[in-house]
Amino acid sequence: MSAPFLTPGAGRLRTTVERRSAPVVVWLAYLPRLLPIAVFAALFLLAAFVGGVFSGLILLLIAAVMGLISYLSWPSVPPVLRAVRLVVLIGVIAFALSRLA
């Protein structure tokens, strides 16, 4: 039995994550395409210019959302783009940790 949001042949962890994140993914799909991008870009700029612990926490939130989206789309993304996503995610996490230190 396969639901439209589930990756065929996926393990228990992936199935659970996909099932629990499906309402958020559907909600995001109904928003204008540029709205989530604009919100996270504004949060990133805020974190870049504010500094301090608050900045690091915002960046960790951004990294968490990026990580979730990357995890959900991983099976359908070509290997080169997977590497790019990983590098960007590691960069955001490093920037967050530098702000928290």
Side-chain angles (χ1 to χ4, degrees):
M1 174 185 229
S2 176
F5 289 105
L6 301 180
T7 302
R12 176 185 281 168
L13 174 65
R14 180 165 200 84
T15 302
T16 302
V17 171
E18 288 176 351
R19 198 177 299 271
R20 289 194 179 165
S21 61
V24 176
V25 172
V26 170
W27 177 73
L28 286 172
Y30 282 108
L31 293 176
R33 188 173 295 271
L34 290 179
L35 183 63
I37 296 168
V39 168
F40 279 98
L43 284 173
F44 186 82
L45 289 174
L46 176 69
F49 291 115
V50 170
V53 174
F54 180 69
S55 169
L57 294 175
I58 291 173
L59 290 167
L60 285 179
L61 172 70
I62 291 170
V65 173
M66 286 174 59
L68 177 64
I69 291 171
S70 294
Y71 179 78
L72 291 173
S73 63
W74 197 261
S76 64
V77 175
V80 172
L81 293 179
R82 290 178 186 175
V84 171
R85 286 182 181 199
L86 254 131
V87 167
V88 171
L89 183 59
I90 290 169
V92 172
I93 292 170
F95 190 33
L97 294 177
S98 74
R99 294 297 179 133
L100 290 172

